């Protein structure tokens, strides 16, 4: 009898996945879960739909990871604590492109050399995008958050390898809280470009302001795991070997920075929604 009771209880324990399978331009990739995190699934219906509102229009998002401790909350239809999470995206313009090793090296050089100009471009785009997101949420959820990114502190590249490049930012956001009063919060964002199987992934790690170092350390390990999980086969190696085939239009890199800014808005939404509930 005890055996059957235990078996029945196990059926109601959320299944914690260790990896997610995605496809980028027809290339299959395996994304290991960051330690202590699990992917958001369609069964987490409320969160699964909500997160689509917080993706930059230049990017495609493939999977989001939330803390294992929040899985049961998400499965129950509630919005969990989103202060720490991970997402995997890529630029829409790169989905079907083959990125060689030479291309990726040029990307790293360009990102470091043009960092200031890219930030200025992002600053010009963000206000309009924030309003669009805020208006969309107001229409869908009947709430006026008045979202804005009031300050961004970019930090220099802190991690680089043959297949990765990582940098962080501290972003201050302003919004209306659950009762309509203005409030603000700061999020630490680590963005990592990862080159695997002739594709470039954008790995984002979000944390509270005090979690900057955690975000960097967790992102570094996660990026390594992603690279190890996706070794290039003969076909992929041939695609990565040619000289650079991409032109100098790197405007999508600014979109990657926009993605880093838009993603944390869900933190403010989660706090506001949970307080209102």
């Amino acid at each position: 009898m005890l055996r059957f009771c235990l078996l029945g209880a196990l059926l109601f324990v959320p299944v914690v996945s260790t990896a997610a399978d995605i496809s980028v331009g027809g290339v299959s990739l395996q994304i290991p879960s960051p330690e202590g995190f699990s992917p958001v699934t369609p069964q987490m219906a409320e969160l699964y739909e909500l997160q689509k509102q917080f993706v930059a229009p230049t990017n495609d998002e493939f999977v989001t990871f939330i803390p294992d401790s929040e899985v049961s909350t998400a499965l129950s239809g509630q919005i969990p604590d989103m202060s720490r999470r991970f997402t995997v995206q890529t630029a829409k313009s790169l989905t079907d492109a083959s990125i060689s090793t030479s291309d990726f090296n040029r990307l790293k050089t360009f990102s470091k050399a043009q960092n200031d100009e890219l930030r200025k471009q992002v600053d010009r785009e963000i206000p309009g995008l924030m309003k669009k997101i805020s208006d969309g949420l107001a229409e869908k959820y009947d709430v006026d958050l008045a979202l804005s990114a009031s300050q961004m502190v970019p930090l220099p590249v802190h991690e680089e390898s043959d297949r990765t490049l990582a940098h962080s930012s501290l972003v201050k956001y302003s919004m209306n809280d659950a009762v309509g009063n203005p409030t603000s919060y700061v999020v630490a964002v680590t963005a990592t470009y990862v080159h695997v199987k002739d594709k470039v992934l954008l790995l984002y790690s979000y944390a509270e302001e005090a979690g900057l170092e955690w975000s960097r350390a967790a992102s570094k390990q996660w990026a390594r795991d992603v690279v190890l999980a996706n070794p290039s086969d003969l076909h992929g190696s041939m695609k990565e070997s040619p000289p650079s085939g991409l032109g100098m239009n790197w405007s999508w890199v600014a979109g990657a920075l926009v993605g880093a800014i838009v993603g944390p808005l869900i933190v403010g939404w989660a706090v506001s929604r949970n307080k209102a509930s």
Side-chain angles (χ1 to χ4, degrees), residues 24-27 29 90-100 103 195-201 236 239-240 245-247 249-250 252:
V24 181
V27 176
L29 299 172
T90 196
K92 290 180 178 179
S93 60
L94 295 186
T95 299
D96 296 318
S98 292
I99 310 301
S100 69
D103 289 327
H195 185 215
V196 286
K197 291 188 175 180
D198 79 293
K199 299 297 178 182
V200 172
L201 297 178
K239 286 189 172 183
E240 291 180 351
L246 293 180
N249 181 11
W250 297 102
W252 67 267

Side-chain angles (χ1 to χ4, degrees), residues 1 15-16 58 66 92 110 114 143 175 184 204 268 275:
M1 182 67 178
V15 177
V16 178
T58 55
I66 59 174
K92 290 180 178 179
F110 177 82
Q114 300 297 320
V143 58
M175 59 174 288
S184 62
Y204 296 117
K275 285 183 176 179

